[in-house]
Amino acid sequence: AQSVTQLGSHVSVSEGALVLLRCNYSSSVPPYLFWYVQYPNQGLQLLLKYTTGATLVKGINGFEAEFKKSETSFHLTKPSAHMSDAAEYFCSMNYGGATNKLIFGTGTLLAVQP
Amino acid sequence: GAVVSQHPSWVICKSGTSVKIECRSLDFQATTMFWYRQFPKQSLMLMATSNEGSKATYEQGVEKDKFLINHASLTLSTLTVTSAHPEDSSFYICSARDLLGPNNEQFFGPGTRLTVL
């Protein structure tokens, strides 16, 4: 079965510290993977995506993620956290073939401490 | 580019009434739109896939007669929650796929907060 798992529903880091949000997937076909950010009472904003090609993907706001097939992972990182990074982050996978449905992980709430 | 709007952004209604939520792609055409539901502090759950000019495809467990979806044009899809009850209170988010863009990318609206009293 296809699924997306995010380890850690809450992550807290200090401002300036490394951000690491974990995402693992299960898929019978090569996946397209996405990271989205959601601020309170708002929709989702795409941070970055992996489809094919280079496995290290750079996104907006200094975030990047690396697709590791051998580990079935797509962890999101940022070298230095900023207060404005505090939000909910969702990892998702395209699983629907022609319909392009997305399946989402349960989300990780990132808190940034001053 | 690739902006999706939703209207209203929030709505409060009495139990038993129907509520219509609009999802519009403002600067692109979307043959496919998706409707999600998000409970507090939870992930998004796909409710249905809406295709322009055809019937929506509902996910398992979603009541078709309760959540009516209409996708009448390439820029507009509507979700009507019929005979709403307090358990329908939730955050509803739509997304749209650009007809001319990568077929793997969805653009999300800002969401609609529905509260049923």
Side-chain angles (χ1 to χ4, degrees), chain A:
Chain A
Q2 292 167 307
S3 64
V4 175
T5 302
Q6 289 183 242
L7 295 177
S9 58
H10 291 79
V11 171
S12 182
V13 300
S14 298
E15 191 173 19
L18 171 71
V19 175
L20 171 60
L21 305 183
R22 300 178 186 274
C23 174
N24 288 88
Y25 69 90
S26 174
S27 177
S28 57
V29 298
Y32 290 168
L33 297 162
F34 306 82
W35 274 100
Y36 290 91
V37 61
Q38 184 182 35
Y39 296 98
N41 294 309
Q42 294 187 27
L44 274 67
Q45 180 182 10
L46 180 66
L47 281 177
L48 48 80
K49 65 178 180 180
Y50 168 79
T51 53
T52 58
T55 57
L56 182 61
V57 181
K58 295 186 183 298
I60 62 172
N61 301 339
F63 285 94
E64 63 182 36
E66 186 170 10
F67 171 66
K68 292 186 176 180
K69 184 178 179 180
S70 61
E71 299 177 8
T72 61
S73 69
F74 191 57
H75 302 329
L76 181 71
T77 60
K78 181 174 180 178
S80 177
H82 191 272
M83 296 296 289
S84 61
D85 295 326
E88 185 92 31
Y89 291 81
F90 292 97
C91 181
S92 71
M93 178 174 71
N94 182 311
Y95 77 101
T99 64
N100 290 292
K101 295 180 182 180
L102 289 178
I103 182 171
F104 286 86
T106 51
T108 298
L109 182 62
L110 175 65
V112 181
Q113 308 298 327

Side-chain angles (χ1 to χ4, degrees), chain B residues 1 3 10 12-14 18 26 29 33 37 43 46-47 54 58 60-61 64 79 83 88 90 92 97 102 106 113:
Chain B
V3 178
W10 59 271
I12 301 173
C13 69
K14 293 182 179 180
S18 294
L26 298 185
Q29 294 183 320
M33 290 184 172
R37 183 172 182 178
S43 189
L46 179 64
M47 299 174 65
S54 64
Y58 291 81
Q60 190 173 8
K64 301 178 182 181
L79 168 68
S83 187
D88 298 323
S90 190
Y92 292 88
R97 199 171 77 198
Q106 298 178 24
R113 173 77 59 192

Side-chain angles (χ1 to χ4, degrees), chain B residues 70-109:
Chain B
N70 182 278
H71 193 158
S73 77
L74 287 173
T75 59
L76 174 64
S77 175
T78 60
L79 168 68
T80 301
V81 183
T82 61
S83 187
H85 288 90
E87 58 266 28
D88 298 323
S89 298
S90 190
F91 194 52
Y92 292 88
I93 302 176
C94 73
S95 70
R97 199 171 77 198
D98 188 344
L99 174 65
L100 300 178
N103 63 2
N104 54 66
E105 189 163 349
Q106 298 178 24
F107 300 98
F108 286 81

